Amino acid sequence: VDLVESGGGLVPAGGSLRLSCAASGPTVSAPAMGWFRLAPGKEREFVAAISWSGSIVFYGESVKGRFDVSRGNAKNTVDLQMNSLKPEDTSVYYCALGSDPAPVRLRGGRIDYWGQGTQVTVSS
């Protein structure tokens, strides 16, 4: 399975960006998908996870109320709408897919596939 992210870039503090991720390749039945981020000198941080149906979502504490995760019209896609961005949101954002359908497990690190990452930079 290949995951391809798009939508990263440079944005001023308070601005918005939308990331997208599309999965292709062998079919995984009802996978959970989500996002993590990794900044220099920091540990990998969970951002958001969503179930196949889109009815179950989880967010990391630092992004709650600002970010919104959704499945695209094609169920093999996941989007991350990021609002009210802060300089501390600067990071490489990675799309993740877990063959376990429960997004809580993806949140816990049960990940089978990763995207290549997309840089998000928020200027102060």
Side-chain angles (χ1 to χ4, degrees):
V1 175
D2 292 319
L3 303 178
V4 179
E5 302 105 333
S6 61
L10 174 64
V11 63
S16 298
L17 276 177
R18 187 175 184 88
L19 305 182
S20 295
C21 173
S24 62
T27 300
V28 178
S29 177
M33 295 184 74
W35 297 89
F36 289 76
R37 65 188 184 186
L38 183 63
K42 296 186 178 181
E43 294 187 353
R44 185 181 71 190
E45 181 184 6
F46 167 74
V47 175
I50 187 168
S51 63
W52 173 255
S53 66
S55 61
I56 303 172
V57 295
F58 293 98
Y59 293 98
E61 287 298 322
S62 63
V63 306
K64 278 183 180 177
R66 299 187 298 122
F67 289 13
D68 180 44
V69 64
S70 61
R71 299 302 286 249
N73 289 331
K75 289 296 188 182
N76 63 334
T77 61
V78 61
D79 296 328
L80 185 68
Q81 178 66 41
M82 304 185 293
N83 301 318
S84 302
L85 283 161
K86 304 174 182 180
E88 50 264 43
D89 293 317
T90 295
S91 191
V92 178
Y93 284 71
Y94 293 90
C95 179
L97 185 150
S99 56
D100 191 308
V104 66
R105 293 190 174 85
L106 188 140
R107 181 183 68 177
R110 192 172 296 182
I111 297 157
D112 294 289
Y113 302 97
W114 290 99
Q116 82 284 358
T118 186
Q119 177 70 46
V120 171
T121 303
V122 184
S123 61
S124 57

